[in-house]
Amino acid sequence: MIKIEPNKRNKIVGFVIIIIIIFIIFSLLNKNKEPEYSYAEVKKGTIIEEISATGTVKAVQDISLRFKVGGVVEKIYVKEGQDVKAGDLLIKLDTGEFYSQYLQAKADYKQAKAELDKLLVGPSEEEVRVAEQTVEKNYDYLQDTKKKAEVDLAKDYDDAVDAINNAYFYADKAMKKLNTIFDENTLYKDYRSDLVFRDIEMKYHVKEEKNKADIAFTEFKNIVSEIKAHPEPSKLDDSFEEIFSNLEVIRDTLDSASLLIDLVIIYEDYSQTQWDTDKDNIEAGRTAINTAITDVLNAKQAIEEQKITNQKNINTAENDYKKAVEELNKLKAKPRDVEIAIYQAKVDKAYALLLEAQKKLSDATLTSPINGKVAKIDIKIGELVTANGDSVISLISSNKFEIEADISEADIGKVEIGDPVLISLDAFPEKIYTGRVGEIEPVETIIEGVVYYRTTIVFDELEKGIKPGMSADVTIQTDKKENVLYIPYRALIYKGSKKFVRVFEGNEIKEKEVKTGIRDNEGNIEVVEGLKEKEKVVIYTREK
């Protein structure tokens, strides 16, 4: 055993105690450790979407305008040589069709939005009550259908019992007619010579069949007695095939007897009168047995058809009841994320079509993008123009200079003729000029493998000192929305095609899905749906 000196023992114990104290302090310091959040409030104000580009000052040329949509010219507001200001009406197409499309798109959007709102709000008490009544109604109808099926089928089985009894009556009649030719003083009289028959083998064959017919009739009679005693549906179902088999034996015997009697030789001991009587009896028996078979067959078919009809009616009633229950459960249940996504997709699609219809309606009218003069009008009232076709009107700017800038294909779709522009010239860095988009060339320009579209920007006012060739930085205001909600763009979280933000709800942080609009150059983005003013959204998280 190793002995530890007292001094060393004390040092070890002290070291262990220090370690324990450090551990406790460290645990206390890290207890309830929570992250720090940096957040921003949802604000309401003006947000401007802008596109920046560089260009070069050029001498003014004619500005050619064309329609982006096709249609018939309805009105021309100006004449050649007339002075115009930015925003003045120039030419208008017939907007009847475009306006109808706009109204339809607007209605479709409202309907899609209403359906989404209804899904989110849930059903009213009246809707639930109506759905519950529908369930009760369909349940009662299902029970009534089942009861009616039982009654109808029971009637068919009762009719089948009657048909079998009638069949027995006709079978008995047929057997009696058959027996007449085997009685004394008839065809099979014992002392008659076999010479009466042309076919002796046929005679004995019919005799054998007659014996089988007697057995079959006896079996049929026993079946009828059993059915009378126990007329259950299952008993009837099991008896049909045996009944048919017995009746067919009797029928086949009568058929053979009919063939045999045609082979009989008429002579003084077997007169024509007797032959006629036997022939009539055989034919009467055949008629009777065929009637018996038909009656039983019709009864069996009626039961089978009634079973099919009953099952069809019950299936329909059950499906209606199940559907009503599903509709009620669906009505009461909270909407699933996938359902919300489907309805939201319909809203988004309807909104996109509405914007497209608004754009077509707007594009059916040309306005002057600059202050200037009408140089030439290349269209007349009533003429048909095509979308993005030839120029229909040319303008000359009041100023002597304009700017040509190349806008990338990623941004050109946002730019419209007449959009306001802020202009900065390298030669006069302290001054900001204003202008407007005057023209967008429809044909692309390829620069180092990238597609651009040459855009002409016209100064609002002519300033001294501006010269051709000067470099310019332009900021095109493509959209402007006032009194809208916006947040910092970095607050967004992307999950697939959806966008979310984290918001404070009490002491908890929760995610909310949002719909966004335009984005400015200051790091802000419009919030169309999902947030309210002054809500706090998390933009940064840091662990303590």
Side-chain angles (χ1 to χ4, degrees):
M1 182 176 179
I2 300 175
K3 293 183 179 180
I4 301 176
E5 297 179 3
N7 289 337
K8 289 184 177 180
R9 185 185 298 113
N10 293 338
K11 289 181 180 179
I12 292 172
V13 172
F15 179 75
V16 172
I17 292 173
I18 291 172
I19 294 297
I20 293 173
I21 292 172
I22 291 173
F23 178 77
I24 293 173
I25 293 173
F26 181 81
S27 299
L28 291 173
L29 289 174
N30 286 275
K31 188 177 182 181
N32 297 325
K33 183 178 179 182
E34 295 180 355
E36 291 182 346
Y37 297 100
S38 177
Y39 64 88
E41 286 190 349
V42 180
K43 296 181 179 180
K44 179 176 285 189
T46 301
I47 186 167
I48 302 174
E49 182 180 66
E50 298 174 330
I51 293 174
S52 298
T54 59
T56 304
V57 176
K58 303 260 184 198
V60 168
Q61 299 177 352
D62 290 352
I63 294 176
S64 298
L65 303 180
R66 55 182 55 82
F67 281 101
K68 291 184 178 181
V69 295
V72 177
V73 176
E74 183 182 76
K75 193 169 184 179
I76 299 175
Y77 295 91
V78 294
K79 298 179 180 179
E80 291 182 357
Q82 180 178 331
D83 292 329
V84 293
K85 295 181 180 179
D88 284 353
L89 292 175
L90 301 177
I91 304 175
K92 178 176 177 291
L93 300 179
D94 180 3
T95 58
E97 182 179 353
F98 297 125
Y99 189 65
S100 296
Q101 292 174 355
Y102 165 73
L103 291 179
Q104 183 62 53
K106 187 176 181 180
D108 292 343
Y109 172 69
K110 286 183 177 180
Q111 181 178 351
K113 188 71 168 60
E115 290 175 353
L116 175 61
D117 292 342
K118 181 180 179 182
L119 178 70
L120 297 175
V121 171
S124 64
E125 293 182 0
E126 176 64 18
E127 288 175 322
V128 173
R129 187 180 66 81
V130 170
E132 290 174 341
Q133 289 177 345
T134 302
V135 170
E136 293 175 1
K137 177 181 177 182
N138 283 296
Y139 177 78
D140 291 341
Y141 180 75
L142 173 59
Q143 301 309 312
D144 291 342
T145 301
K146 289 181 177 179
K147 290 179 181 178
K148 184 177 183 302
E150 292 176 0
V151 172
D152 291 344
L153 189 58
K155 182 180 181 302
D156 285 330
Y157 274 112
D158 290 341
D159 292 343
V161 172
D162 293 340
I164 292 172
N165 288 329
N166 289 337
Y168 175 74
F169 168 78
Y170 286 112
D172 181 62
K173 179 180 179 181
M175 288 300 298
K176 288 178 179 178
K177 295 295 183 181
L178 181 62
N179 287 331
T180 59
I181 67 172
F182 293 94
D183 292 339
E184 192 174 354
N185 299 323
T186 59
L187 187 61
Y188 275 86
K189 190 174 181 180
D190 291 340
Y191 64 82
R192 292 193 190 281
S193 170
D194 289 340
L195 295 176
V196 173
F197 301 97
R198 291 191 178 92
D199 189 335
I200 302 302
E201 291 184 1
M202 185 66 177
K203 168 190 174 184
Y204 291 105
H205 172 71
V206 172
K207 185 70 173 178
E208 291 176 359
E209 285 196 352
K210 170 62 169 57
N211 294 333
K212 293 179 181 179
D214 289 336
I215 296 172
F217 179 71
T218 301
E219 291 179 354
F220 179 41
K221 182 179 180 180
N222 293 335
I223 293 172
V224 172
S225 298
E226 183 68 20
I227 289 174
K228 286 182 178 180
H230 304 284
E232 294 87 3
S234 58
K235 183 66 177 177
L236 285 170
D237 290 337
D238 295 339
S239 301
F240 277 122
E241 292 304 321
E242 192 173 357
I243 290 172
F244 284 128
S245 177
N246 292 325
L247 294 178
E248 286 170 355
V249 170
I250 299 172
R251 182 195 61 191
D252 293 343
T253 301
L254 286 162
D255 289 342
S256 297
S258 178
L259 294 174
L260 175 64
I261 203 164
D262 290 335
L263 300 175
V264 170
I265 301 172
I266 304 299
Y267 73 113
E268 68 278 0
D269 200 25
Y270 187 75
S271 65
Q272 181 67 45
T273 301
Q274 186 63 49
W275 185 91
D276 291 339
T277 300
D278 288 344
K279 181 69 174 177
D280 291 341
N281 285 334
I282 293 299
E283 292 305 318
R286 292 176 69 192
T287 301
I289 198 65
N290 286 330
T291 300
I293 292 174
T294 300
D295 287 349
V296 176
L297 180 62
N298 289 340
K300 183 175 184 293
Q301 288 179 341
I303 291 173
E304 292 174 348
E305 290 173 0
Q306 189 62 55
K307 287 181 178 180
I308 294 173
T309 300
N310 288 348
Q311 192 60 54
K312 181 179 178 181
N313 292 339
I314 291 173
N315 288 343
T316 300
E318 284 181 341
N319 290 335
D320 290 343
Y321 171 67
K322 289 179 181 178
K323 184 178 179 181
V325 172
E326 290 174 359
E327 290 296 326
L328 176 60
N329 293 336
K330 183 179 178 181
L331 197 63
K332 290 182 175 180
K334 292 182 178 180
R336 297 176 297 169
D337 291 342
V338 64
E339 291 176 319
I340 295 174
I342 291 173
Y343 278 81
Q344 184 62 58
K346 292 180 179 179
V347 171
D348 295 342
K349 180 179 179 180
Y351 184 66
L353 293 175
L354 175 60
L355 293 180
E356 182 181 346
Q358 287 177 328
K359 184 71 169 51
K360 286 183 178 179
L361 187 60
S362 175
D363 289 342
T365 302
L366 287 182
T367 57
S368 176
I370 61 171
N371 296 329
K373 186 185 293 292
V374 178
K376 187 177 181 182
I377 300 174
D378 296 311
I379 200 73
K380 295 179 181 179
I381 293 176
E383 286 191 33
L384 178 67
V385 298
T386 57
N388 297 314
D390 296 333
S391 168
V392 296
I393 189 170
S394 299
L395 306 177
I396 299 176
S397 173
S398 300
N399 298 321
K400 296 181 180 179
F401 301 105
E402 62 191 16
I403 296 172
E404 282 189 355
D406 293 316
I407 308 298
S408 70
E409 64 176 329
D411 293 329
I412 195 63
K414 303 175 184 178
V415 180
E416 298 287 342
I417 292 176
D419 283 347
V421 183
L422 296 178
I423 305 167
S424 174
L425 300 177
D426 291 348
F428 307 102
E430 73 286 351
K431 183 164 180 65
I432 300 297
Y433 302 89
T434 61
R436 290 185 177 275
V437 175
E439 185 178 9
I440 302 172
E441 290 188 1
V443 181
E444 75 277 9
T445 299
I446 308 298
I447 303 175
E448 296 181 356
V450 180
V451 176
Y452 292 88
Y453 289 85
R454 187 145 295 168
T455 303
T456 299
I457 298 165
V458 181
F459 288 93
D460 285 338
E461 295 182 2
L462 181 61
E463 296 286 343
K464 293 181 180 180
I466 298 178
K467 298 182 182 300
M470 287 184 174
S471 297
D473 293 321
V474 297
T475 301
I476 304 172
Q477 180 181 309
T478 57
D479 203 352
K480 179 179 180 180
K481 293 186 177 180
E482 298 178 346
N483 199 34
V484 296
L485 300 178
Y486 64 89
I487 59 173
Y489 178 76
R490 58 196 177 119
L492 290 180
I493 301 172
Y494 285 84
K495 293 184 179 181
S497 61
K498 296 183 178 181
K499 302 172 188 175
F500 297 84
V501 296
R502 292 179 294 172
V503 299
F504 286 92
E505 289 189 3
N507 296 324
E508 296 184 359
I509 302 294
K510 294 187 177 180
E511 286 189 354
K512 273 190 176 182
E513 185 179 358
V514 295
K515 303 292 180 182
T516 60
I518 63 174
R519 179 180 174 184
D520 65 16
N521 290 343
E522 297 179 2
N524 298 315
I525 189 167
E526 176 193 5
V527 178
V528 178
E529 289 182 13
L531 294 175
K532 297 178 181 179
E533 186 179 4
K534 295 186 179 180
E535 277 192 279
K536 295 179 180 180
V537 296
V538 177
I539 57 175
Y540 178 71
T541 305
R542 183 180 66 184
E543 297 292 335
K544 287 185 179 180

